[in-house]
Amino acid sequence: MTTTTTGAKSRELQRRAEAAIPGGVNSPVRAFQSVGGEPAFIVKGKGARIWDADGKSYIDYVSSWGPLILGHAAPEVVEAVMAAARNGTSFGASTPAEVELAEAVLAAYPAMEKVRFVSSGTEATMSAIRLARAYTGRKRIIKFEGCYHGHADSLLVKAGSGVATLGIPGSAGVPEELAQLTIALPYNNLKAVEQAFKQFKGEIACVIVEPVAGNMGCVPPAPDFLDGLRYLTSREEALLIFDEVMTGFRLALGGAQELYGTRPDLTTLGKIIGGGLPVGAYGGPAEIMDLVAPLGPVYQAGTLSGNPLAMAAGVATINFLCEHREVYSRMERLTSTLVAMVLDAARDAGVAMVANRVGSMFTFFFSSDAVSDWSSAAKCDVRQFSRFHAAMLHAGIYLPPSQFEAAFMSAAHTAEDVSETVAAATEAMRELGA
Ligand code: KE4
């Protein structure tokens, strides 16, 4: 079976990085621990391709974990950032670009009347939770197993034993007392949500959900799930928060809430709205958002919130998407073809594999059974995934280094890229099925 050995320059960089940075990475998933082998150090990206320190190129389906819907170094984005940088990088004062991006976001998300920019998805969800607790005067929150909303303490929580029980810390350093205020439920399970609202009547501030999950791999909502959450949260006077950090401007301009038609109370965004630079956002009705400082008592702040370079990258990205909406149908077609042909290759090779896809986000699951929540995702054969990942990397195809992540097609990918990817997958499946 193919094993991936990174080039000498990447290995040397990894040695230096591990001496200076925990695990040699600034975000754990980049360490390739789920798939083994050492990560390549990436030095350049252009369009659908990236190049590592040793000059090897890859067709990239990570897309920086979602932000690069236009592909790497999109001219529109690079020019906008360079022009902004010539005027300075940050002022700690309001700038026109913040207003421009805010108006662009509000135009695409009718459920939002006001939006606040922060510097990461984590800050966005952390702030939205704080706002929901302030608005409702309640302390408990509901999240779903397999969904990831960044690393704020209240959201690094696992399900306790049994359904609708008090959460337990999902990370060292998260106090049990805080974790117990989070209820972690099975995704796509409305009965569990109903039971939690009954058990903790009047105590639940909000439900936060990935409307299409990407962090257990791509898992779409069951047909009644999102509307069911809308009904239950409205009935119980709790807020419904759509964490669209990954799905926002990805599945449609208006994200999952446009695609499925369910309107949340609060929305969090990130990734694409920064065009590859650090941006997060949370927004909703003015009645709720006006509780945020300096207007109201909910404090949230950030030195680089609304950073002019990040705003410029976001505005350039969203303007391009607004002016070229056909990219969504083209990405959909390419992704659909890729997934179908890789599934065929797996079947022909006798490899147990299923796939989930929504728009241009997708995941190949090494399982015989459909994946609709964390418990079914967790049954996947992660060793098979690792072998597949290594074979594809060797062939110059860069997939997310974890079975439990979503992959992304960009507007820069071509039919030729898909053909090359399918050919590599067909060869990999022969090795897996042998
Ligand atoms: P950031 O703090 O990483 O910008 O956003 C956190 C976040 C919030 N909500 C959703 C739905 C997300 O997917 C994320 C972050 N996504 C991961 C990828 N699974 C980022 C990659 C990483 O952690 O390095």
Side-chain angles (χ1 to χ4, degrees):
M1 186 64 207
T2 313
T3 53
T4 308
T5 50
T6 45
K9 287 181 180 168
S10 278
R11 289 202 304 276
E12 170 58 13
L13 283 162
Q14 182 67 19
R15 188 189 60 72
R16 286 171 51 200
E18 287 176 1
I21 306 166
V25 292
N26 288 303
S27 201
V29 70
R30 303 178 193 171
F32 275 42
Q33 283 184 349
S34 309
V35 293
E38 279 196 321
F41 277 64
I42 305 304
V43 297
K44 177 189 167 186
K46 184 63 186 161
R49 281 188 179 272
I50 53 177
W51 282 261
D52 72 18
D54 295 276
K56 182 180 172 101
S57 84
Y58 308 82
I59 299 174
D60 176 32
Y61 291 97
V62 175
S63 280
S64 179
W65 304 98
L68 301 181
I69 193 167
L70 302 187
H72 292 275
E76 300 78 8
V77 175
V78 173
E79 287 312 311
V81 172
M82 287 172 66
R86 288 191 197 97
N87 292 325
T89 56
S90 180
F91 309 106
S94 297
T95 62
E98 293 161 80
V99 182
E100 207 179 337
L101 187 57
E103 290 172 343
V105 167
L106 296 182
Y109 290 79
M112 285 198 210
E113 291 178 325
K114 288 192 178 175
V115 63
R116 168 63 65 86
F117 293 116
V118 292
S119 297
S120 70
T122 292
E123 275 189 272
T125 57
M126 174 175 67
S127 307
I129 295 287
R130 183 181 305 137
L131 179 56
R133 283 171 160 156
Y135 179 75
T136 61
R138 301 174 180 179
K139 294 180 179 179
R140 295 188 192 279
I141 66 173
I142 288 176
K143 76 173 290 286
F144 295 93
E145 293 170 271
C147 288
Y148 174 71
H149 304 288
H151 61 89
D153 283 354
S154 285
L155 293 164
L156 287 181
V157 172
K158 295 187 297 191
S161 58
V163 173
T165 52
L166 305 183
I168 55 178
S171 163
V174 174
E176 290 81 1
E177 298 82 353
L178 184 60
Q180 288 176 358
L181 294 176
T182 300
I183 303 154
L185 300 176
Y187 192 75
N188 278 327
N189 187 329
L190 284 173
K191 282 192 173 40
V193 179
E194 178 94 62
Q195 182 184 335
F197 273 116
K198 186 175 176 186
Q199 191 169 335
F200 299 104
K201 186 80 179 165
E203 298 180 43
I204 295 170
C206 63
V207 173
I208 185 167
V209 66
E210 289 184 62
V212 172
N215 288 288
M216 51 181 131
C218 177
V219 176
D224 61 344
F225 185 56
L226 298 180
D227 281 344
L229 292 178
R230 178 66 282 172
Y231 167 75
L232 289 171
T233 48
S234 298
R235 188 189 75 187
E236 300 295 330
E237 297 182 325
L239 296 188
L240 177 58
I241 302 175
F242 272 11
D243 177 357
E244 297 226 41
V245 166
M246 187 181 287
T247 55
F249 291 99
R250 166 61 62 181
L251 303 182
L253 267 179
Q257 53 200 273
E258 176 185 317
L259 195 62
Y260 294 96
T262 306
R263 181 174 282 218
D265 296 300
L266 294 178
T267 300
T268 55
L269 296 168
K271 297 182 190 275
I272 289 172
I273 64 168
L277 272 69
V279 180
Y282 63 103
E287 179 207 1
I288 301 175
M289 291 302 291
D290 285 353
L291 282 175
V292 177
L295 288 185
V298 178
Y299 195 71
Q300 173 267 308
T303 304
L304 295 172
S305 296
N307 172 269
L309 306 194
M311 296 293 106
V315 166
T317 300
I318 293 175
N319 285 350
F320 185 95
L321 292 170
C322 290
E323 291 156 16
H324 302 84
R325 297 187 190 211
E326 72 281 359
V327 298
Y328 286 103
S329 54
R330 195 167 69 78
M331 289 190 293
E332 172 102 30
R333 285 194 302 275
L334 282 179
T335 314
S336 174
T337 301
L338 172 65
V339 168
M341 294 183 80
V342 172
L343 281 172
D344 287 346
R347 186 200 56 234
D348 294 348
V351 173
M353 194 179 90
V354 296
N356 286 338
R357 178 187 70 80
V358 181
S360 58
M361 63 188 267
F362 62 100
T363 300
F364 297 120
F365 293 100
F366 285 82
S367 174
S368 308
D369 305 323
V371 175
S372 58
D373 57 14
W374 173 243
S375 64
S376 47
K379 290 177 186 159
C380 286
D381 183 341
V382 292
R383 186 175 167 281
Q384 276 287 62
F385 176 84
S386 301
R387 297 174 69 203
F388 178 65
H389 186 272
M392 295 294 271
L393 205 60
H394 183 73
I397 310 298
Y398 198 82
L399 293 174
S402 166
Q403 171 66 94
F404 308 114
E405 292 287 355
F408 303 95
M409 191 71 70
S410 83
H413 284 80
T414 64
E416 291 70 29
D417 293 324
V418 169
S419 300
E420 187 176 334
T421 307
V422 170
T426 303
E427 183 53 36
M429 289 301 166
R430 286 200 195 102
E431 291 182 30
L432 266 63

